[in-house]
Amino acid sequence: MYTGYFAKLKTYVNDGLIPVSICGKAPDWYNGFQYKKLAPKYNFFIEWKSGSHKGDNEYYIEHFNNEVLATLSKTGVIEELKKFSSDIDKIVLLCYEKPNDFCHRHLVSNWLRDVIDIEEYNK
């Protein structure tokens, strides 16, 4: 399985991958699969984006871990993602940020890494 970002969508599709958005709101032009269970919750996202915790990644990580990841089962998430493709290795979980920028997809990737091979798609 892979992670990636919307700006590279055509590359993923051309390479035979199955894009799955894990954002709260995908771009209007995106018409692919979405899996919102891995999306950040609106309240802490807005607080991190423009509130009193603006840019506080530790705040974001704490809330994402407690409010999103802690409510899910890793194996349950993998089973649900398999509904998008019988070959789980072909799925690319999408968000907005470039690979080296802070993004919740990296938190998701780290969380899933002990049950599945997952990395940023770099081809």
Side-chain angles (χ1 to χ4, degrees):
M1 184 184 299
Y2 298 99
T3 57
Y5 58 116
F6 289 110
K8 296 277 192 166
L9 181 63
K10 287 182 183 178
T11 299
Y12 308 139
V13 172
N14 289 341
D15 289 351
L17 299 178
I18 309 299
V20 178
S21 168
I22 59 170
C23 302
K25 182 176 179 347
D28 292 336
W29 50 263
Y30 177 77
N31 59 2
F33 296 120
Q34 298 189 47
Y35 187 72
K36 292 187 182 263
K37 287 184 180 181
L38 290 174
K41 302 295 183 194
Y42 181 79
N43 288 341
F44 77 78
F45 176 78
I46 291 300
E47 187 66 24
W48 171 81
K49 190 79 170 166
S50 57
S52 62
H53 289 279
K54 182 177 181 178
D56 183 349
N57 293 348
E58 292 304 317
Y59 169 87
Y60 186 102
I61 292 167
E62 177 184 348
H63 284 269
F64 189 77
N65 287 339
N66 292 337
E67 297 176 35
V68 179
L69 298 180
T71 69
L72 301 170
S73 154
K74 294 176 190 182
T75 55
V77 166
I78 297 299
E79 288 305 310
E80 288 182 344
L81 289 171
K82 285 181 181 178
K83 295 176 185 174
F84 301 119
S85 173
S86 58
D87 186 355
I88 195 80
D89 293 333
K90 296 276 189 190
I91 291 177
V92 57
L93 304 177
L94 298 180
C95 198
Y96 289 92
E97 287 74 18
K98 293 178 182 175
N100 293 325
D101 292 346
F102 178 78
C103 180
H104 81 286
R105 77 175 181 272
H106 304 306
L107 302 176
V108 169
S109 178
N110 288 336
W111 180 70
L112 289 173
R113 194 159 280 128
D114 64 337
V115 295
I116 194 165
D117 289 332
I118 184 169
E119 63 185 60
E120 188 79 9
Y121 193 75
N122 291 323
K123 296 180 185 170

